[in-house]
Amino acid sequence: MFLPKSSLLVLLCLCSTLALFAQQNLSGNIKDAVNGRPIPGVTIRIPNTNKGTISDASGAYTLAVPAGTPSIQVSYTGYKTVILKLTPATSVLNISLEEDFARLDEVVVTGLATNVKRSNLANAVATISGRELNGVAPAQTFDAALSGKVPGALITANSGAPGGGFSVKMRGITSIFGNSQPLYVVDGIFFNNSSIPAGLNDVSGAATAGNPNNQDNPSSRIADLNPEDIENIEILKGASAAAMYGAKAAAGVIIITTKKGKSGKTKVSVNQELGFVKVRHLMGVRKFTAETAADLAGAADNPDPAVQAKRDAYKAQFNAAQSAGKIYDYEKEMYGETGQVLNTGLSISGGGDKTTFYLSGNRRQEEGIVKNTGYFNNSVRLNIDHKISDRISLGVTTNYINSSSDRGLTNNDNNGVTYGVALSSTPDFVELHPNALGEYPRNPFAASNPLETRDKMRNNEQTNRFVGGANLDIRIQQNDRSTTRFIGRGGVDYYNYKTAALFPRDLQFEENGQQGHSIQGNTNNLNTNIGGFLANTFTPNDKISLTSTAGATLETGFMDNILTVATNLVYGQSNLDASANTTTHQFRQKYRDNGLFIQEDLSLIDAITLSGGVRFDRSTNNGDYKKYYVFPKGSISWNIAKMKFWNLAGIENLKIRAAYGQSGNVPPYSSKFTGMLGSNIGGYPGILVDNLQGNPAIKPERQAEFETGLDVSILSGRVSLEASYYNKNIYDVLLRHSLPGSTGYASEWKNSGNLKNQGIELGLTLIPVNSANFKWSSTINWWKNRSKVTKLLIPPYAIGAFGNSLGTFYLEEGQPATQIKGTVGSALKLIGNSEPKFQMSFFNELTIYKNFSLRFLMHWKKGGDNINLTQLLTDAGATSFDYDDLINGTKAGAYRPSAGDASIYVQDASYLRIREIGLYYNVPLKNTNVIKGIRVGISANNFFTWTKYVGYDPEVSNFGSNTITTAQSRGSNGLSTGVDVTPFPASKRASFHVGIDL
């Protein structure tokens, strides 16, 4: 029987009315429980569903709740998660949230597809928010912004050259010749962090004597990442936490999550930084007199007539310069520029219930402290998240980066051409400035005129990079007790990296040499990663929860590096074909890694958490590329304060924890085979066998770590302590060691020993004052590490510096891996250790009357020695600032190099530094619907340092970090941090900030 149209209309209206009665509209406002300020961006969600909403800029929210819904869950980063009960009559619910000072409700990643609340976490995982990373005194690059903020890490600037270049070592030395830097994962994408040399050795000759390792000190590619796009960072410091990343996680994993859009009104934020950079510290120069100027020719009692004639000439030259007012401080002139900083950022975010977006653009332009140096970075990011249905969601992240760095010419040099080496032997009375025609005089005291080199040469690195990825989340099934999800994740990281180093033929050192250099490099690098994971959560009751995860991953990489060196250039030309001679080197590497893993997590009464898993990895870089290596993990935590018998009201968190895990370190590309070098033999093309012998049986290094700790929170989280101890053993350490000449090789790759690291990490968080008008929060971290070579299959040997007479790292069984030995008299003795005795950081934030905020970070590094060869060079060149001081009746600058004591130049590199300090003000606004917020502030970055170290900065590394090894260039190693050879001096910066939210 068919109903008439009017009856259908009545029925439709009735159903619509019943549907309205089947749900209730819930609304209200959310504010801070202490100061009453509205909290935007709070998530209000119906438990066990995908239904929810987010509070707007005024803290208001509205949510349609199905009838009979018993409760809602309210959560926001930095605040305690609450579950509020509902009644059928509830329509207005105003909510006050308390800050989660101890971060107990913070969700932390524990696997490739799983996470857990910090209150139940079994590892010490450091978390840095975007505000902590970049909200006090922004650094030039992302890697610089990490300094002093990661307990358990030794983060060292390799030099002060624009464009970054940092060494990050998690929990000690994890490898000598393998990868010693952490794996960076950005939104699930493996982010390449290689350092690629520019071929400067063809000019400097740095690797032609003393140490064959590359000393170009290129920037690190992680510096490309824009810190202002980062939402938060999680740092898995050891194998017990990072085991699920397998053979890439030996040096730790840094998981970076970028900002995402939130549903609601579109938000526009504009930020502008205007500042300056200056050199942190100058060593100073020797103040010559007529007599000391004459001494540069030889001693006054030298009977040689030529020496006496030269003494008279130098004395006359000094007197003439002094009379003309032409005594120069060339160090200050070279490194004393004041560079301008301009940083502009724009972000737009928002969306609806189905789709959210985050779009940002940033432009950073900085001038360096050396003329013609600087850093330029443009980046654009678009992140989109879309709910295809209630069961399927898709997230896409994209990032384009264009950067350019002009880095000058510094560091070690055997040809006397870098700025610092040339200055080290140049007295203050010689004239180096150009005449009216622009002609530079020749420097009689060095192979080059450093002012001319600075003004005419260029050393540029340029990067164009695209990073993109996608994350697909499908809820296959869900009921009251279980949920099964499939997570598919993939990413691509591609960059083109160009280097251009030009040295015109009219430079002093080129005139009698190669008649000019044009060195141009072009690198294309492509990395991909893809993974698929199944995760099932089974909750039979409110006391037990089981999460089972299984998955597979695949990573590939391809690099093609071409470097062409052209010499004997046509005057005024830089093209490679405008030269008489060209030599081209090409290096290509390709790898494929894949892994399988399973993991099981058990939570009992939300107080006891057990986790276990195993990963199987193989790589084409291994000797046996078909073999799977096994990396297990296991952990347990017990939060005693969550047990029913616990009745101490003042202690809301008391957790003991323990974890064990293994991870690996894939051998470097080409370590399993012997390279062939292209050569011209009698006018015919040919190849030569490399003197570094490969090893077809090479294995990955293996790391096993045990970690245990205690976490305590009292007084509602206002006092929190986190204490951890770890014992990390590294097996099958990969070394390059010498071979007898009769073999035809100089050295070979071999798994030759074991290492051990032990350490303690302590963290204390305090909220001494928390009132409506004043809040003071403080975080203190203290950590130390000790390393030891527990097994060495080859005889002890020097590595990582320039030989026993100058002090060098020395691998020896039973001794610290970071020990420094050197010749004292005629004996080889222990003279230092590059490992700090301990490190400590102290972060404070004071909020006054809700709108003023003062924040500062102090970093204390106690101990840790550097090999200071910068002072050796200035002593040898008779230009040291204290050259004329007396030591045992001899001038200090003459005494030190001739004492036969290498320990003189191995010096304590302790320091206390105010890393960051910032004062900000939120301008109160009334009666405006357009501008939602205005922020102004001033900041200083690395502006204040106290140290007794005699050098430009105690943070230095002549050999860089993570520099790739090619057939023509030996890469960096994990020990060489702290070798000081005339680096680009470090800088300090101060800035004014203004931000507007619309």
Side-chain angles (χ1 to χ4, degrees), residues 287-303:
K287 304 300 182 184
F288 281 89
T289 65
E291 189 62 31
T292 57
D295 287 342
L296 294 175
D301 57 359
N302 191 315

Side-chain angles (χ1 to χ4, degrees), residues 110 187 268 296 358 441 468 543 578 605 666:
T110 57
D187 294 326
V268 179
L296 294 175
Y358 172 81
K543 292 181 172 57
I605 60 176
V666 174

Side-chain angles (χ1 to χ4, degrees), residues 844-977:
N844 281 268
E845 179 173 6
L846 291 84
T847 304
I848 306 167
Y849 291 108
K850 303 180 183 180
N851 293 319
F852 281 102
S853 177
L854 174 65
R855 312 163 202 162
F856 63 90
L857 172 67
M858 301 179 68
H859 181 199
W860 179 19
K861 172 177 165 285
K862 175 62 176 175
D865 297 317
N866 284 357
I867 301 174
N868 188 353
L869 303 185
T870 299
Q871 188 182 39
L872 170 67
L873 287 170
T874 57
D875 282 347
T879 61
S880 303
F881 73 95
D882 63 344
Y883 189 93
D884 296 308
D885 293 350
L886 296 179
I887 300 177
N888 298 330
T890 304
K891 288 188 176 184
Y895 173 84
R896 287 189 291 254
S898 60
D901 185 353
S903 67
I904 290 176
Y905 294 109
V906 176
Q907 300 170 357
D908 184 4
S910 299
Y911 61 81
L912 174 63
R913 174 169 290 158
I914 298 181
R915 289 277 182 191
E916 300 174 352
I917 183 168
L919 177 63
Y920 293 87
Y921 179 63
N922 291 317
V923 180
L925 300 174
K926 295 182 179 180
N927 303 321
T928 174
N929 293 322
V930 178
I931 299 178
K932 305 300 182 183
I934 297 177
R935 301 172 304 281
V936 294
I938 55 174
S939 68
N941 183 284
N942 289 320
F943 221 80
F944 306 100
T945 302
W946 294 268
T947 182
K948 294 181 179 180
Y949 180 68
V950 182
Y952 290 113
D953 194 79
E955 287 187 63
V956 67
S957 178
N958 176 71
F959 296 96
S961 59
N962 221 35
T963 305
I964 63 170
T965 293
T966 70
Q968 293 79 33
S969 172
R970 304 295 184 232
S972 54
N973 64 63
L975 288 176
S976 56
T977 299

Side-chain angles (χ1 to χ4, degrees), residues 48 58 90 96 140 193 257 265 317 379 657 704 800 888 910 981:
N48 301 319
S58 63
T90 305
S96 295
Q140 183 186 82
N193 187 37
T257 303
K265 294 181 179 179
Q317 185 178 357
S379 70
R657 50 185 168 80
N888 298 330
S910 299
V981 191

Side-chain angles (χ1 to χ4, degrees), residues 5-129:
K5 291 183 178 179
S6 58
S7 300
L8 286 173
L9 182 60
V10 171
L11 183 60
L12 179 62
C13 293
L14 180 61
C15 291
S16 300
T17 304
L18 291 173
L20 289 173
F21 279 110
Q23 66 180 18
Q24 59 189 107
N25 287 323
L26 187 66
S27 63
N29 290 280
I30 303 176
K31 63 181 181 179
D32 186 286
V34 175
N35 58 38
R37 298 181 67 174
I39 308 175
V42 177
T43 299
I44 305 95
R45 187 172 63 85
I46 301 172
N48 301 319
T49 73
N50 281 341
K51 295 180 179 180
T53 188
I54 294 175
S55 62
D56 62 20
S58 63
Y61 74 94
T62 301
L63 177 65
V65 180
T69 299
S71 62
I72 59 171
Q73 179 178 293
V74 183
S75 61
Y76 185 66
T77 302
Y79 285 81
K80 294 180 179 179
T81 299
V82 295
I83 295 179
L84 302 173
K85 293 184 178 180
L86 301 179
T87 66
T90 305
S91 61
V92 176
L93 184 61
N94 294 319
I95 305 167
S96 295
L97 293 183
E98 296 181 357
E99 281 197 68
D100 183 15
F101 300 123
R103 297 182 176 183
L104 299 180
D105 286 336
E106 182 179 59
V107 176
V108 178
V109 173
T110 57
L112 293 173
T114 57
N115 51 51
V116 69
K117 289 194 300 183
R118 184 173 289 276
S119 60
N120 294 329
L121 187 64
N123 299 93
V125 176
T127 303
I128 302 173
S129 68

Side-chain angles (χ1 to χ4, degrees), residues 702-880:
R702 177 182 294 272
Q703 178 187 135
E705 181 186 71
F706 172 75
E707 176 188 313
T708 186
L710 172 70
D711 302 338
V712 182
S713 298
I714 63 175
L715 302 177
S716 299
R718 290 179 62 173
V719 179
S720 299
L721 172 68
E722 183 178 284
S724 301
Y725 164 80
Y726 61 87
N727 186 346
K728 179 168 66 175
N729 289 278
I730 302 101
Y731 303 100
D732 298 323
V733 173
L734 190 64
L735 296 176
R736 294 197 304 250
H737 57 92
S738 299
L739 290 174
S742 58
T743 65
Y745 297 96
S747 57
E748 71 169 336
W749 291 103
K750 191 173 183 180
N751 297 102
S752 302
N754 299 335
L755 294 173
K756 180 179 181 180
N757 289 278
Q758 292 178 297
I760 297 173
E761 299 166 1
L762 302 175
L764 180 65
T765 300
L766 303 171
I767 312 293
V769 181
N770 185 33
S771 65
N773 293 323
F774 182 70
K775 178 185 175 183
W776 174 18
S777 61
S778 179
T779 302
I780 304 169
N781 289 300
W782 184 95
W783 65 98
K784 74 171 185 176
N785 180 82
R786 296 292 180 267
S787 67
K788 180 183 287 189
V789 179
T790 55
K791 182 180 179 181
L792 196 62
L793 300 179
I794 58 178
Y797 74 106
I799 180 176
F802 297 98
N804 297 342
S805 62
L806 302 177
T808 186
F809 298 99
Y810 201 82
L811 287 182
E812 186 177 10
E813 186 172 316
Q815 299 300 320
T818 51
Q819 71 171 349
I820 301 172
K821 283 194 167 185
T823 304
V824 180
S826 59
L828 183 65
K829 294 185 177 181
L830 176 66
I831 56 176
N833 193 320
S834 65
E835 187 87 67
K837 293 180 180 178
F838 65 82
Q839 293 186 77
M840 187 174 183
S841 66
F842 185 41
F843 176 77
N844 281 268
E845 179 173 6
L846 291 84
T847 304
I848 306 167
Y849 291 108
K850 303 180 183 180
N851 293 319
F852 281 102
S853 177
L854 174 65
R855 312 163 202 162
F856 63 90
L857 172 67
M858 301 179 68
H859 181 199
W860 179 19
K861 172 177 165 285
K862 175 62 176 175
D865 297 317
N866 284 357
I867 301 174
N868 188 353
L869 303 185
T870 299
Q871 188 182 39
L872 170 67
L873 287 170
T874 57
D875 282 347
T879 61
S880 303

Side-chain angles (χ1 to χ4, degrees), residues 66 132 148 164 365 431 481 551 581 588 608 672 704 721 754 799 810 905 929 987:
E132 292 169 331
Q365 188 170 359
E431 179 61 75
R481 293 187 176 185
N581 308 295
R588 291 180 294 178
I608 300 172
K672 70 176 183 180
L721 172 68
N754 299 335
I799 180 176
Y810 201 82
Y905 294 109
N929 293 322
S987 61

